[in-house]
Amino acid sequence: MKRTSVAAALSALALGALLLAKEPAPPKKDKGGWKKLFDGKTMGGWKVADFFGKGKAHVQDGAIVLEEGKQMTGITYVRGDFPTMDYEVTLEGKRIAGDDFFCTTTFPVGDSFCSFVVGGWGGKTVGLSSIDFEDASRNETNKSKEFKTGQWYRLRIRVTKKKIEAWIDREKMVDLGLADRNVSIRVECSRCKPFGIATWQTTGAVRDVRVRALSEAEKKGPGEKIDTRK
């Protein structure tokens, strides 16, 4: 083999090793079945959602900071391994500045998608968008909750064929049966599909994003006894 060929082969091997070193390892499940989707250090597995006038998204102090945009700033999970049914996802979010939603989460429901709005419509609205074509400000999942700037809140969303449930900290905010219901998202959140998190004219942060498959018993029963802090 000519020297030039050997040199080219070595260069290719070195480049391949460098690229592999830069790519974060795929997430692994822990003993509880939870799989981390964010490693607290890089944006590996995520992309910045392509919203018009979006702010920057970057990692700072173990969280992904979503800076205020003209309207929405968001991130989308892109590894392609997010479940579509019979799962539970959890994350922590906080409002850093602004007065609207700071960690609205879009997630799959079978072949469709839905968004859990957290602090929308002026800062207090919580609920699902959309149910039977009505958004969180108008459908039966609508609730009002005060959110303190700078405080972390734990979100948990559980999706089964029978219902969507959602909690903020230990307070159950959504318990919606899905029989004969139309589940969809507002068009603004479509760039967060299949799973993503967004803010509206607000700076927010998210961390400790995890997902797990439900057991057969959990698919049939209530989810109040699951402690996501473990």
Side-chain angles (χ1 to χ4, degrees):
M1 183 181 290
K2 295 181 180 179
R3 290 184 178 179
T4 53
S5 299
V6 173
L10 291 173
S11 296
L13 287 172
L15 178 59
L18 181 61
L19 291 174
L20 287 173
K22 288 184 177 181
E23 178 64 23
K28 296 181 180 180
K29 296 179 182 178
D30 64 18
K31 293 182 179 179
W34 290 101
K35 179 170 63 177
K36 287 188 176 182
L37 305 184
F38 169 53
D39 63 10
K41 300 176 182 178
T42 71
M43 291 280 289
W46 296 85
K47 71 174 183 179
V48 180
D50 189 22
F51 293 118
F52 172 76
K54 61 184 179 295
K56 294 181 180 179
H58 57 93
V59 178
Q60 180 178 317
D61 299 329
I64 300 177
V65 176
L66 306 173
E67 296 186 2
E68 180 180 350
K70 291 184 178 179
Q71 291 185 338
M72 294 179 73
T73 300
I75 51 174
T76 304
Y77 184 69
V78 295
R79 289 195 189 277
D81 58 357
F82 198 91
T84 60
M85 185 59 70
D86 295 327
Y87 68 88
E88 189 167 84
V89 64
T90 182
L91 60 94
E92 288 187 335
K94 72 174 178 180
R95 181 186 286 142
I96 297 174
D99 58 5
D100 215 283
F101 65 71
F102 57 95
C103 60
T104 285
T105 303
T106 296
F107 55 94
V109 184
D111 294 331
S112 189
F113 302 89
C114 195
S115 298
F116 183 38
V117 178
V118 180
W121 282 273
K124 297 181 181 180
T125 296
V126 174
L128 298 179
S129 284
S130 297
I131 303 300
D132 296 335
F133 308 104
E134 298 285 357
D135 62 37
S137 69
R138 302 176 64 181
N139 66 49
E140 68 201 72
T141 67
N142 174 275
K143 286 185 172 63
S144 181
K145 181 177 177 63
E146 294 278 355
F147 294 98
K148 296 180 180 179
T149 298
Q151 178 173 320
W152 288 103
Y153 294 89
R154 167 69 65 184
L155 276 62
R156 177 160 62 103
I157 302 166
R158 172 178 287 207
V159 179
T160 67
K161 294 180 178 66
K162 293 183 177 181
K163 61 170 59 177
I164 299 173
E165 299 168 275
W167 295 257
I168 298 178
D169 294 333
R170 291 184 174 275
E171 183 179 3
K172 193 166 193 179
M173 307 300 293
V174 174
D175 190 346
L176 180 75
L178 295 179
D180 301 319
R181 308 306 296 265
N182 180 282
V183 176
S184 61
I185 57 173
R186 286 176 59 107
V187 66
E188 294 93 333
C189 289
S190 62
R191 296 186 185 276
C192 280
K193 297 188 306 185
F195 176 74
I197 304 157
T199 67
W200 178 276
Q201 295 181 347
T202 293
T203 298
V206 295
R207 66 184 185 187
D208 193 22
V209 188
R210 295 177 284 144
V211 67
R212 71 179 182 92
L214 298 178
S215 67
E216 290 302 316
E218 289 169 332
K219 294 176 187 178
K220 301 175 183 178
E224 285 82 348
K225 295 182 181 180
I226 303 300
D227 187 355
T228 62
R229 297 178 299 172
K230 295 180 179 178

